[in-house]
Amino acid sequence: MTQTAATNPNQLDGTQGAVSDWASDQRAFKNVPWGKAMMWIFLLSDTFIFSCFLISYMTVRSSTKIPWPNTSKVFGLNVNGVEVPLLLIAIMTFILISSSGTMAMAVKYGYERKRKMTTALLLLTALFGATFVAMQAFEWTKLIHEGVRPWGNPFGAPQFGATFFMITGFHGTHVTIGVIFLLIVARKVWRGDYDTGKRGFFTSRKGNYSIVEAMGLYWHFVDLVWVFIFAFFYLW
Amino acid sequence: MADIGHDAADYAPPAELEEVDLYHAKSWITKYVFSQDAKVIGIQYALTATAIGLVALVLSWLIRLQLGFPDTFNFIDAAGYYQFVTMHGMIMVVYLLTALFLGGFGNYLIPLMVGARDMVFPYVNMLSFWIYFLAVLVLVSSWFLPGGPTGAGWTLYPPQAIMQGTPGREWGIIMMLLSLALFIIGFTMGGLNYVVTILQARTRGMTLMRMPLTVWGIFVATILALLAFPALFVGAIMMLLDRVLGTSFFMPHIVELGEHLKYGGGSPILFQHLFWFFGHPEVYIVALPAFGIVSDLISTHARKNVFGYRMMVWALVAIGGLSFIVWAHHMYVSGMNPYFGFFFATTTLIIAIPTALKVYNWVLTLWKGNIRLTLPMLFSLGFIVTFVNGGITGLFLGNVVVDVPLSDTLFVVAHFHMVMGVAPIMVIFGAIYHWYPLMTGRMLHEGMGKFHFWITFLGAYLIYFPMHYLGFLGMPRRYFEMGETSFVPESAATLNEFITVTALIVGFAQMVFLFNLYWSRRNGIVAEKNPWHANSLEWQTPEMPPGHGNFGKELPVVYRWPYDYSVPGVEADFIPQNVPAGGTATGAE
Ligand code: HEM
Ligand SMILES: [Cu+2]
């Protein structure tokens, strides 16, 4: 056993080598921390949830006989007497996409162990996220004032309100959860928990900076989903 | 001396990960109640699933009493009957089989079999169980709310599921949907753990292609579950909104009790698509772990390596993939576009290929094996027979023209009970007889076990075989009573009486099994270490039952696949996975 330790008989070349690498012992994805692997798989599952929501939305939109409301009107804002279509939503989208940028930078500084920078960027990301949710709340309020309800609305098919509140609500919940976790992670980075190996309150596990990256994956995902919701809801 | 084991090596790569920092319980509560140890969580899952499964078993007796002896029991009315059928089906499929295979066996066996100290995220794993527990409580609560549990059928089709006249419309359906959503959240937490543990936390030398097929089965099934449950989750939320907020996702314009409802414009078929996009993979979520476990049981108890290990793995993966594109074979009579039927019939029949391959491989594993008719082996044989039986009727139903007259008859009931009821349950029993010594240190009583096997196996046949015939006669499923029906002869009633009596006897045999579980815990024969002379790692732990952290000080190192049984030129008829090439089996002397 000892004398052969230098030569690994499992080593193969070419495609066989690729397969055997992937199936190789201990870890299928080398150098991928557990948390990150878990986040990827969770996001895959979550993708299926959002896909089902969006496909259902398309189905009911095409199966209802009552015409769909004119979205560029319904989602328009009246600024000083001028109707600007999609104004609010454009700002919301811009903010959310910017927050992905700050998140990516937070991950970078996290791995460089620049605690202050990471904390600041995480907080900024959280702030963007919270702004997004606030603007969404504003949009909901506006629509509700105009009489849009899950079971009906004055503009057209009742499924409009139903799908709108359900899907943006589900997405907004994701953003809100993300903001909460951003704040928690920011606090941990600030305190230096990931440098000192302080144990988590609930899990009693030691954390490290890969948690910032897993957080980032979630955030980018929520962002990406928004792009689809935006396209299917507001532009169609 | 060099042995010629399958891929035996005397080398294992160095450890890539440092030792995990394991959570050590400090009090009784954190050790046994809010436990983070996968073994305890597995047992918690198994006990909860068994408890709620018992409820479903009792419900099946009530269903059978009504079908066998209509107009006899005045405590069963039509509404009650539909509630029994619904809750029986849903509990058995989701809360018993899914939870027991993945939550129960998955938690207990995965870390042990891949050589890990625990799941990768024990805390999340603990939450998984407690959310499942909550889901069960929410489900049970519907019996105590006004209107009782839902009677919509386990498929919960709208519009009827949320309309007047369906029992449990008040609260039952709401509780059912909430409970399913909770179940899915809880399951996802556990499922992520199983997948990441298998992918990223194996011990030295444990390549994917050296994992026992049990782990492969649970692994593929978990991935299916993570991708299929979302559809049910979305369907459940949308129906909940339809019921509670009056949205019309699934509700068309409809008249109820002579009154136009406010609903309109929704698509009932959409729900069926969502449900079966979950529902068909779900049957494989239950079947694949059973496939995996039975492969290991057969190999161990026939003292022979699994025939075609790689093929078995790829067949699991292929079945898993295909199971996502066959769902509409449950909807041939739903009114969907008939051209879909052609597509889905084709994909459905293609699934039979990898499935048949697995059956051949089980039989070829037995071929010329040194078969020991232990209880796990008996149940495995029972599985093969019942599974083939149910699989063949599946081929009937997969063809549109054959399915249309048989749909919604007892033939379908017979099909899915054979293939998804009896067959996986056989594996569960076999697995319990096999691993009980590992979990408790004692063997289950052999005599009671034999009694249990023969009654269950023969009884299952006597119950479900005649149902195929009743289905051919055109006897519909989910009917409270048949009344005077010209096409159903008198003799069908006698047959139904016979089925009911048999069902009660088989039910009684399960009580014997439960008693055996309880009795042997104290009074069973003390098991020697590795009593079945098995190769996989769970039997190679320093203590039995395995302690906290599973493997003592040093994690095991793996040098070979788990199927080196009866290797030529080696005296012992088994070589555990942690024995290097040229070494000898520990405990074989
Ligand atoms: C070659 C394999 C199989 C084929 C071709 C097949 C085909 C079918 C078809 C066409 C139906 C619909 C019948 C109808 O409603 O009219 C059906 C129902 C069903 N099958 Fe299979 N099946 C196969 C294997 C399985 C397996 C392995 C399981 C479970 C482990 C399973 C579980 C079920 C269940 C639960 C239902 C009834 C669902 C319900 O309507 O309540 N089947 N099968
Ligand atoms: Cu199916």
Side-chain angles (χ1 to χ4, degrees):
Chain A
M1 186 174 146
T2 35
Q3 82 281 14
T4 45
T7 47
N8 178 356
N10 299 331
Q11 208 84 58
L12 299 166
D13 299 321
T15 41
Q16 276 201 314
V19 172
S20 86
D21 273 355
W22 203 68
S24 70
D25 81 355
Q26 303 174 57
R27 287 179 298 170
F29 305 103
K30 302 294 176 196
N31 301 322
V32 175
W34 289 344
K36 196 173 154 189
M38 183 183 211
M39 185 54 83
W40 270 114
I41 299 167
F42 167 70
L43 294 180
L44 187 65
S45 183
D46 215 14
T47 305
F48 271 59
I49 293 200
F50 277 107
S51 310
C52 288
F53 270 128
L54 287 173
I55 292 171
S56 301
Y57 152 71
M58 294 176 214
T59 313
V60 291
R61 180 161 172 175
S62 44
S63 72
T64 179
K65 290 234 170 59
I66 307 169
W68 204 253
N70 178 350
T71 43
S72 55
K73 251 234 197 81
V74 178
F75 293 125
L77 268 196
N78 189 321
V79 188
N80 297 330
V82 188
E83 283 287 342
V84 189
L86 300 179
L87 175 61
L88 182 66
I89 214 66
I91 301 174
M92 282 167 71
T93 307
F94 180 74
I95 288 180
L96 202 59
I97 292 190
S98 311
S99 77
S100 253
T102 52
M103 184 74 232
M105 282 158 70
V107 174
K108 167 184 175 288
Y109 283 114
Y111 277 125
E112 289 170 7
R113 298 183 174 250
K114 299 201 170 128
R115 270 175 38 213
K116 277 192 194 142
M117 215 41 198
T118 315
T119 315
L121 284 163
L122 285 172
L123 289 177
L124 189 59
T125 314
L127 184 70
F128 280 144
T131 316
F132 175 87
V133 177
M135 292 175 85
Q136 193 159 55
F138 170 76
E139 184 178 41
W140 275 41
T141 322
K142 172 179 167 285
L143 287 173
I144 290 171
H145 273 298
E146 289 167 3
V148 181
R149 299 284 184 278
W151 51 88
N153 65 72
F155 308 114
Q159 278 79 10
F160 169 72
T163 47
F164 175 78
F165 288 120
M166 179 175 71
I167 296 178
T168 57
F170 199 73
H171 177 263
T173 313
H174 271 72
V175 180
T176 311
I177 293 173
V179 169
I180 293 169
F181 274 92
L182 277 170
L183 294 177
I184 295 174
V185 173
R187 176 159 176 262
K188 291 194 173 208
V189 173
W190 176 245
R191 275 199 316 208
D193 288 9
Y194 299 146
D195 299 298
T196 56
K198 185 170 154 52
R199 288 173 187 276
F201 177 73
F202 287 109
T203 60
S204 53
R205 276 274 181 92
K206 292 178 186 161
N208 60 46
Y209 280 98
S210 77
I211 290 174
V212 181
E213 193 185 358
M215 183 69 233
L217 287 177
Y218 176 83
W219 194 258
H220 297 314
F221 169 79
V222 171
D223 228 21
L224 183 68
V225 167
W226 176 254
V227 173
F228 280 90
I229 294 177
F230 174 68
F232 284 122
F233 254 99
Y234 296 87
L235 302 184
W236 179 12
Chain B
M1 176 201 61
D3 70 62
I4 44 169
H6 171 68
D7 65 350
D10 55 6
Y11 167 83
E16 292 172 7
L17 296 164
E18 31 181 309
E19 268 287 346
V20 286
D21 107 57
L22 206 60
Y23 173 80
H24 296 285
K26 286 174 203 71
S27 68
W28 188 84
I29 296 207
T30 44
K31 200 163 177 189
Y32 294 109
V33 184
F34 294 103
S35 172
Q36 298 195 27
D37 186 323
K39 295 187 293 300
V40 179
I41 296 175
I43 290 172
Q44 288 175 323
Y45 254 113
L47 291 179
T48 314
T50 312
I52 191 72
L54 263 179
V55 174
L57 180 66
V58 173
L59 291 174
S60 78
W61 299 341
L62 297 173
I63 299 169
R64 274 322 311 178
L65 283 179
Q66 170 61 26
L67 289 176
F69 308 96
D71 302 325
T72 315
F73 303 98
N74 47 19
F75 56 89
I76 307 175
D77 57 359
Y81 177 80
Y82 289 119
Q83 292 170 325
F84 301 159
V85 177
T86 306
M87 298 306 270
H88 164 77
M90 192 63 98
I91 292 176
M92 284 297 190
V93 172
V94 175
Y95 298 85
L96 173 71
L97 286 175
T98 309
L100 190 53
F101 269 124
L102 301 180
F105 287 108
N107 267 312
Y108 199 93
L109 293 176
I110 291 172
L112 278 165
M113 283 188 150
V114 302
R117 296 217 180 268
D118 205 321
M119 290 289 179
V120 285
F121 297 106
Y123 184 79
V124 180
N125 209 22
M126 174 190 82
L127 288 183
S128 159
F129 168 71
W130 286 103
I131 295 180
Y132 163 66
F133 192 75
L134 188 65
V136 171
L137 289 186
V138 171
L139 187 77
V140 170
S141 76
S142 59
W143 263 286
F144 304 100
L145 290 167
T150 176
W154 87 280
T155 49
L156 305 176
Y157 282 3
Q160 54 91 14
I162 55 176
M163 287 177 62
Q164 298 284 343
T166 302
R169 190 205 92 102
E170 298 85 353
W171 283 99
I173 185 73
I174 297 180
M175 289 299 145
M176 169 63 85
L177 295 170
L178 279 179
S179 170
L180 284 174
L182 280 173
F183 180 92
I184 294 167
I185 294 170
F187 171 79
T188 305
M189 294 179 150
L192 292 171
N193 255 312
Y194 317 151
V195 174
V196 179
T197 305
I198 292 170
L199 284 178
Q200 299 295 84
R202 281 162 285 132
T203 188
R204 293 170 58 197
M206 181 62 87
T207 62
L208 287 180
M209 281 300 176
R210 276 178 181 168
M211 293 196 306
L213 285 168
T214 299
V215 179
W216 267 110
I218 294 175
F219 176 58
V220 180
T222 307
I223 293 181
L224 293 195
L226 288 173
L227 304 183
F229 273 125
L232 180 67
F233 185 78
V234 169
I237 289 195
M238 287 167 52
M239 203 194 311
L240 207 55
L241 294 177
D242 276 4
R243 169 68 186 81
V244 178
L245 287 186
T247 57
S248 302
F249 291 113
F250 302 133
M251 300 298 283
H253 286 281
I254 203 160
V255 176
E256 173 186 274
L257 306 176
E259 207 185 320
H260 265 284
L261 294 186
K262 288 210 191 88
Y263 293 118
S267 165
I269 292 227
L270 172 61
F271 180 83
Q272 298 192 18
H273 280 296
L274 287 172
F275 185 87
W276 288 115
F277 185 82
F278 145 78
H280 188 85
E282 166 65 23
V283 307
Y284 284 100
I285 291 166
V286 172
L288 295 186
F291 290 175
I293 291 174
V294 85
S295 310
D296 283 352
L297 297 189
I298 289 176
S299 168
T300 309
H301 294 266
R303 316 308 298 161
K304 220 183 123 206
N305 64 292
V306 155
F307 187 91
Y309 171 82
R310 269 168 193 274
M311 261 194 278
M312 292 298 244
V313 170
W314 289 116
L316 285 173
V317 175
I319 295 174
L322 285 169
S323 72
F324 278 101
I325 49 168
V326 300
W327 76 89
H329 64 213
H330 296 274
M331 298 167 57
Y332 291 152
V333 295
S334 70
M336 67 174 180
N337 188 328
Y339 284 109
F340 281 9
F342 174 75
F343 172 79
F344 283 102
T346 313
T347 51
T348 301
L349 298 183
I350 290 175
I351 278 211
I353 297 168
T355 312
L357 191 147
K358 295 195 78 75
V359 176
Y360 287 126
N361 283 1
W362 290 319
V363 176
L364 286 167
T365 306
L366 289 168
W367 180 259
K368 295 197 171 168
N370 178 7
I371 298 175
R372 307 193 170 160
L373 286 180
T374 54
L375 288 164
M377 177 53 97
L378 286 176
F379 277 101
S380 304
L381 296 175
F383 162 82
I384 298 182
V385 177
T386 47
F387 184 75
V388 168
N389 196 135
I392 289 176
T393 50
L395 291 178
F396 282 53
L397 296 173
N399 292 285
V400 185
V401 279
V402 186
D403 179 73
V404 168
L406 288 177
S407 207
D408 288 323
T409 68
L410 286 187
F411 189 88
V412 174
V413 177
H415 157 68
F416 70 73
H417 276 93
M418 269 301 185
V419 79
M420 183 184 202
V422 181
I425 291 269
M426 286 274 160
V427 176
I428 287 182
F429 289 142
I432 291 176
Y433 285 104
H434 182 80
W435 279 300
Y436 188 86
L438 179 70
M439 297 180 185
T440 64
R442 288 177 191 262
M443 311 293 280
L444 281 165
H445 189 269
E446 181 91 16
M448 278 192 260
K450 289 246 158 84
F451 174 82
H452 175 223
F453 170 73
W454 285 109
I455 302 278
T456 308
F457 176 67
L458 296 177
Y461 254 96
L462 294 178
I463 293 170
Y464 295 111
F465 218 66
M467 279 194 203
H468 294 91
Y469 168 69
L470 290 174
F472 278 136
L473 289 180
M475 173 111 54
R477 71 191 275 216
R478 293 187 182 161
Y479 269 42
F480 171 58
E481 53 191 350
M482 289 296 297
E484 294 283 313
T485 318
S486 58
F487 58 85
V488 179
E490 275 297 295
S491 60
T494 326
L495 200 50
N496 262 328
E497 286 175 20
F498 170 77
I499 295 178
T500 298
V501 174
T502 321
L504 293 176
I505 296 174
V506 172
F508 168 72
Q510 310 316 309
M511 299 302 122
V512 174
F513 170 66
L514 290 180
F515 176 74
N516 195 354
L517 286 182
Y518 167 78
W519 183 86
S520 302
R521 180 99 181 71
R522 286 269 144 70
N523 308 306
I525 301 171
V526 177
E528 54 173 307
K529 228 182 136 244
N530 195 357
W532 311 113
H533 294 182
N535 288 338
S536 39
L537 290 180
E538 81 273 23
W539 297 103
Q540 323 303 336
T541 55
E543 324 151 52
M544 190 176 98
H548 185 58
N550 292 348
F551 290 104
K553 267 217 183 72
E554 293 274 322
L555 282 173
V557 179
V558 169
Y559 297 100
R560 59 181 75 235
W561 74 338
Y563 300 109
D564 275 337
Y565 292 108
S566 312
V567 176
V570 179
E571 202 171 332
D573 76 343
F574 72 111
I575 315 173
Q577 282 191 280
N578 54 352
V579 175
T584 35
T586 40
E589 295 79 11

